[in-house]
Amino acid sequence: MAISDVQLLHAWRDVLTLSNLKKGEAVTILSSNDTNQQNLNAARNAVIDLGGILTVIELPPTNGDLALSRDKTAFIGRTPLDGNKAAMAALKHSDLVIDLMLLLFSPEQAEILKGGTRMLLAVEPPEVLTRLKPTVEDKRRVTAAASILRKAKTMKVTSKAGTMMECELGDYPILTEYGFVDEPGRWDHWPSGFLATWPNEQTARGSMVIDRGDILLPFKSYVQSPITLKIENGYITKIEGEFDAEFLRSYMDSFHDREVYAISHIGWGLQPRAQWTALGLYDKEATLGMDARAFYGNFLFSTGPNPEAGGKRNTPCHIDIPLRNCSLSLDGVAMTINGKVVVADQMAA
Ligand SMILES: [Fe+2]
């Protein structure tokens, strides 16, 4: 169902209020030709309503000739900010940037955040933003789990389908996504509700079984035949299975880049309002699939780049893979068991 302009305006007001937008702050909205116009209008009006000093920048699309689809995550790293000194100056001088375009994984995003600018990414359609509008409770749940993840030295993930993956932790930061930006230099994505980190280089090992019903992004497809990934020294070294395995292998091979096969961020979903089934109801180009990335109790792992964590692996192929029914433990303590969150539930009790 569509969302009314008024309802969306209220949602934007609420999220910008949670993001501590104060009267007189410089706010820049970054848009492109495929930015959702209802979102753009609502964001613009909410900023003005809250007393922000508004600038809107529209940049041309890039990478369209390189990506295999129009999905914003299909080819990442290089953005229209590359070499655009005027836009960069405006963004760096902003207190808050609202990214309706997708700067994720770009060096420019890191440079803007370094100066203390807050940055909120929002590219999902209005009804998804509204349904998954973040709350203070979302932040509490994610940051409580992050305080455990921050101290962990090892992660182990198993499943009845056959997953048995281990890695060491501690060299890379923790990524908390709760959907608003309430601190200087903070980046977040509305909607979200999960946390992640990156394995220490060359420590991820074992095998990962992507079972029937698990999701491949950016394909936005539910796997029909299990895929087994063999992982050695932080890289996927074998992809086995039937059609789905062949499809994944062929896509990754097409980048001709070994770094595509590295394990990237790993973590788990903590958003009770996100739904495993939501992706099945959408046209592929209408959503980024944040329900899939955030649904409660998923194990979300990914492949490819790690510049957002301060790493040097800059590769344009990034695949997010949310798995159901996994058991994830940190230093032997269970965070999820068979896809059910255990720690957050205990903390909430
Ligand atoms: Fe990702």
Side-chain angles (χ1 to χ4, degrees):
M1 302 289 272
I3 291 293
S4 73
D5 289 345
V6 170
Q7 199 177 356
L8 187 61
L9 174 63
H10 286 164
W12 272 96
R13 267 191 58 108
D14 290 348
V15 174
L16 294 180
T17 301
L18 284 172
S19 298
N20 290 331
L21 175 55
K22 298 281 186 300
K23 193 173 180 211
E25 281 197 312
V27 182
T28 302
I29 298 177
L30 198 53
S31 72
S32 190
N33 67 320
D34 60 351
T35 291
N36 182 294
Q37 291 302 300
Q38 196 186 7
N39 278 340
L40 176 58
N41 288 335
R44 186 192 277 140
N45 288 333
V47 170
I48 293 167
D49 198 28
L50 291 168
I53 299 169
L54 177 65
T55 304
V56 180
I57 297 177
E58 183 181 329
L59 297 174
T62 51
N63 303 328
D65 53 335
L66 300 169
L68 292 186
S69 87
R70 281 187 282 185
D71 185 283
K72 292 166 188 292
T73 60
F75 197 100
I76 54 174
R78 210 183 131 252
T79 77
L81 283 179
D82 189 10
N84 190 332
K85 290 182 197 163
M88 280 301 285
L91 293 163
K92 281 163 76 172
H93 283 92
S94 302
D95 297 300
L96 174 65
V97 169
I98 298 173
D99 177 9
L100 303 182
M101 191 184 81
L102 200 130
L103 289 180
L104 191 53
F105 299 109
S106 67
E108 289 82 11
Q109 172 170 308
E111 200 181 325
I112 294 160
L113 293 170
K114 215 162 43 186
T117 298
R118 319 194 291 285
M119 189 184 294
L120 182 67
L121 171 66
V123 291
E124 286 287 39
E127 67 279 9
V128 178
L129 293 185
T130 309
R131 175 168 51 83
L132 297 178
K133 190 181 76 170
T135 64
V136 173
E137 171 58 19
D138 290 337
K139 176 181 178 180
R140 191 205 62 77
R141 194 184 314 112
V142 171
T143 52
S147 68
I148 302 171
L149 181 56
R150 197 164 285 116
K151 292 183 211 131
K153 296 285 173 224
T154 60
M155 180 187 287
K156 182 174 175 183
V157 183
T158 61
S159 75
K160 286 177 184 161
T163 292
M164 171 57 221
M165 194 279 297
E166 291 177 284
C167 65
E168 283 155 40
L169 304 175
D171 288 351
Y172 285 111
I174 308 297
L175 173 71
T176 56
E177 293 197 21
Y178 49 78
F180 54 94
V181 285
D182 51 347
E183 289 161 21
R186 176 169 175 78
W187 174 91
D188 209 324
H189 189 171
W190 171 25
S192 48
F194 57 87
L195 74 165
T197 188
W198 288 256
N200 294 353
E201 293 295 341
Q202 305 196 337
T203 66
R205 59 200 180 272
S207 57
M208 197 91 75
V209 178
I210 306 168
D211 203 7
R212 188 161 180 264
D214 295 335
I215 296 169
L216 296 178
L217 301 162
F219 306 120
K220 295 160 191 158
S221 61
Y222 294 87
V223 166
Q224 300 297 323
S225 56
I227 307 169
T228 300
L229 308 178
K230 188 173 182 198
I231 299 164
E232 298 172 286
N233 300 316
Y235 285 82
I236 296 166
T237 54
K238 223 177 243 171
I239 303 175
E240 293 178 317
E242 299 175 4
F243 166 77
D244 289 289
E246 185 187 342
F247 187 86
L248 180 63
R249 192 168 50 234
S250 179
Y251 180 78
M252 294 177 88
D253 279 351
S254 72
F255 286 84
H256 303 293
D257 179 0
R258 179 179 183 264
E259 300 304 332
V260 160
Y261 296 95
I263 301 299
S264 184
H265 61 80
I266 48 173
W268 67 100
L270 285 172
Q271 178 53 272
R273 298 188 304 287
Q275 299 296 328
W276 168 63
T277 53
L279 200 58
L281 300 163
Y282 269 86
D283 292 339
K284 289 196 179 199
E285 292 187 352
T287 174
L288 208 60
M290 291 308 289
D291 275 273
R293 289 179 177 88
F295 70 83
Y296 204 58
N298 78 16
F299 168 55
L300 175 63
F301 88 99
S302 69
T303 60
N306 62 2
E308 79 203 281
K312 293 191 172 59
R313 186 173 303 115
N314 201 354
T315 178
C317 176
H318 178 58
I319 302 177
D320 281 324
I321 308 178
L323 306 184
R324 296 186 303 155
N325 306 320
C326 287
S327 301
L328 184 153
S329 61
L330 299 174
D331 297 337
V333 179
M335 301 292 116
T336 68
I337 297 177
N338 296 330
K340 302 268 184 299
V341 177
V342 288
V343 161
D345 289 350
Q346 286 162 13
M347 286 185 301

